[in-house]
Amino acid sequence: MSVPMHAGAIARAVLITGAASGIGAETARRIAAPDTAFVLHTRARREALEAVASELAQAGSRSICVTGDLADPDTAPALARAAQDEYGRLDQVVSAAGYARRGALADTGADDLEAAWRAMTLGTFALAKTTMPLVAQSPWPRFVAVSSFGAAHYPENGLFMASAAAKAGLESLIRTLACEHAARGIPVNAVAPGYTEKDGGHSSLSRDAWEAIKADIPMRRLGRREEVAGLIAFLLGPLGGYITGQVLHVDGGLTL
């Protein structure tokens, strides 16, 4: 799907994975403008992704929508090709696809660990491998990955063994990429949200469980996805060019 863009030059083409909802979609909304074009990705929620693209069109942005599982080795190259074919460039990447799987050792199988690793750590690696040659040609290059508090906070009654391990690997990957690309002027960072409100407020946890979680957060509330997206937008913006190799927590003090 391609949504018509208002006439004018493109200042940046931005790839956002996991853009059908949540932080990925909110980031797209925050930076949408007539001079910003998008490659929007989701694993399978095509209809929701096209709805986001329609929202961005109202701000003058052109978007193409691509579906695919990032655990599939063909998906990341397809995303890079889509940007090259549609816009002839790719300036910025936001790797926001991922999930949280609650469970300690007894609740986690090797297949759970492998699935999380493939979707998030290996998926981000593949994305960097295929997109960085394009990003490196941009006058406005950025690479931002979304991590999680789970890689740094381990509450006894709320462990996320598989996804936390995958996100910890992702954070190490981001620091390595930042080191490799710093001399070329390419900022590479991660943003690690804390407990964040979901689209539509849906959750499998009870009200009492959420109250217990909020009691563990120094600011005593859940984060809002626009607060996380606001930081990502800053990192993508002109004033984010001297920040690199960082994992920035947006968690109300949870990881203090």
Side-chain angles (χ1 to χ4, degrees):
M1 171 187 171
S2 181
V3 179
M5 180 181 174
H6 296 177
I10 296 174
R12 58 178 170 175
V14 186
L15 164 61
I16 303 180
T17 68
S21 63
I23 292 166
E26 193 62 35
T27 299
R29 295 183 189 106
R30 296 278 302 192
I31 65 173
D35 65 354
T36 298
F38 293 94
V39 177
L40 301 176
H41 159 270
T42 184
R43 186 176 65 85
R45 300 179 59 201
R46 180 85 189 192
E47 186 174 341
L49 192 67
E50 291 182 350
V52 173
S54 294
E55 288 185 64
L56 305 183
Q58 298 303 309
S61 285
R62 177 179 172 183
S63 302
I64 57 173
C65 297
V66 182
T67 57
D69 189 341
L70 283 166
D72 182 335
D74 292 333
T75 298
L79 291 168
R81 279 196 307 273
Q84 182 67 40
D85 292 347
E86 187 73 15
Y87 307 123
R89 63 192 290 179
L90 179 61
D91 301 273
Q92 303 181 342
V93 176
V94 179
S95 178
Y99 61 89
R101 185 192 181 281
R102 185 180 291 268
L105 180 63
D107 312 306
T108 304
D111 55 337
D112 298 316
L113 195 62
E114 182 176 1
W117 176 265
R118 286 188 174 280
M120 291 177 275
T121 315
L122 190 58
T124 300
F125 169 80
L127 202 61
K129 189 85 170 173
T130 57
T131 62
M132 275 308 219
L134 292 173
V135 172
Q137 299 174 42
S138 170
W140 192 355
R142 300 286 190 275
F143 193 102
V144 180
V146 177
S147 185
S148 167
F149 72 92
H153 180 68
Y154 305 96
E156 185 176 355
N157 62 347
L159 294 173
F160 297 82
M161 177 170 283
S163 48
K167 291 294 192 180
L170 180 150
E171 291 180 7
S172 180
L173 173 66
I174 288 300
R175 292 188 177 100
T176 305
L177 286 171
C179 183
E180 179 180 351
H181 291 87
R184 303 171 74 179
I186 305 174
V188 181
N189 294 286
V191 171
Y195 289 103
T196 305
E197 294 173 354
K198 294 183 177 296
D199 291 342
H202 65 277
S203 172
S204 60
L205 296 180
S206 68
R207 180 186 180 90
D208 287 345
W210 278 117
E211 290 303 316
I213 286 170
K214 285 190 279 188
D216 192 38
I217 301 170
M219 293 190 77
R220 299 294 188 268
R221 68 171 177 86
L222 303 181
R224 297 187 294 272
R225 56 187 179 275
E226 57 265 32
E227 293 173 316
V228 182
L231 177 56
I232 297 172
F234 176 82
L235 292 172
L236 297 176
L239 297 180
Y242 200 57
I243 303 168
T244 197
Q246 304 304 306
V247 178
L248 302 169
H249 290 266
V250 187
D251 62 10
L254 183 67
T255 51
L256 287 174

